[in-house]
Amino acid sequence: SIHHQNSLKSILSIILLSTTLLFSAPSLASSSSSGYQIGSDKTLGGAASTLNSGSVKNITRGVDISGADFSNQTLRLLSFQQSIVRDGNFSNSVLIGTSFFDADLTNANFENATLRNVNFELANLRNANFKNAVVESAYVVGSTKLDRVKIEGADFTDTFFRKDQQTYLCKIASGTNPQTGISTKDSLLCPQ
């Protein structure tokens, strides 16, 4: 059946991803944060969709890995460009320099995750859960879809949004991040 074939494709994609992480680039998916230098990726320069050769490992470009579980992992400089990661689980993970350029992250779970210099350019984040996440210096553009995101307790320090996105997020912002002690409203620079 079609459902069985799609499930098999998802499982094979996850196996391929796991094999790539385990054998090809163990330093990209480790529990240690050493080796990463702030500014070594292009998210700070504003051209995050144009990746430096060799700086980011494209592992899932254009692949449907909906429902994949990446929880409780450290993912450094990985690219999920143009991939479908609906219902993906990144909870309690550390993502550093990870690219979700033009990815579909509908219903993705980033609860309690730490995201530094992550690229959300053109990403679909509808219904994504950022509860208690730390999202520092993320690259977001006006076409990043933020409809119905859950941001209670999230810290968006140094992540800049277009004015209408900021206004929307400020309306739904609540709570204080348990890791940083910064209120969601303050991190979004919401007017008092």
Side-chain angles (χ1 to χ4, degrees):
S1 76
I2 292 175
H3 178 67
H4 178 72
Q5 289 174 344
N6 286 339
S7 295
L8 185 58
K9 285 180 184 177
S10 292
I11 291 168
L12 290 174
S13 295
I14 292 169
I15 290 170
L16 175 63
L17 173 62
S18 299
T19 303
T20 301
L21 290 173
L22 186 61
F23 295 111
S24 300
S27 65
L28 296 176
S30 67
S31 59
S32 167
S33 62
S34 64
Y36 177 76
Q37 295 178 358
I38 301 285
S40 65
D41 60 325
K42 285 194 169 187
T43 56
L44 296 179
S49 62
T50 328
L51 300 172
N52 283 332
S53 177
S55 69
V56 175
K57 179 86 173 162
N58 284 322
I59 55 171
T60 66
R61 187 176 191 126
V63 175
D64 185 346
I65 53 171
S66 294
D69 187 5
F70 296 98
S71 61
N72 302 300
Q73 295 184 45
T74 296
L75 304 173
R76 262 194 312 268
L77 300 175
L78 295 182
S79 178
F80 294 90
Q81 283 192 21
Q82 300 173 325
S83 292
I84 301 169
V85 197
R86 294 180 193 131
D87 301 300
N89 185 5
F90 296 91
S91 62
N92 302 301
S93 289
V94 175
L95 297 99
I96 301 171
T98 302
S99 177
F100 293 105
F101 172 79
D102 199 21
D104 184 352
L105 295 160
T106 302
N107 298 316
N109 184 8
F110 293 99
E111 187 166 343
N112 297 312
T114 299
L115 301 99
R116 291 192 180 103
N117 299 323
V118 171
N119 177 8
F120 287 122
E121 182 180 3
L122 301 174
N124 178 0
L125 294 167
R126 286 188 178 113
N127 294 315
N129 179 10
F130 288 96
K131 183 176 180 181
N132 296 327
V134 177
V135 187
E136 294 177 354
S137 302
Y139 187 68
V140 178
V141 295
S143 53
T144 301
K145 294 169 187 69
L146 299 167
D147 306 337
R148 298 181 302 275
V149 291
K150 296 162 195 74
I151 61 169
E152 179 187 345
D155 178 352
F156 292 98
T157 298
D158 295 328
T159 298
F160 299 98
F161 298 92
R162 195 173 64 190
K163 187 67 177 164
D164 61 315
Q165 291 172 324
Q166 179 191 24
T167 299
Y168 167 71
L169 293 173
C170 286
K171 286 180 184 176
I172 64 170
S174 66
T176 299
N177 187 275
Q179 293 177 50
T180 65
I182 297 173
S183 80
T184 302
K185 286 185 182 279
D186 287 346
S187 73
L188 289 166
L189 304 175
C190 298
Q192 298 299 330

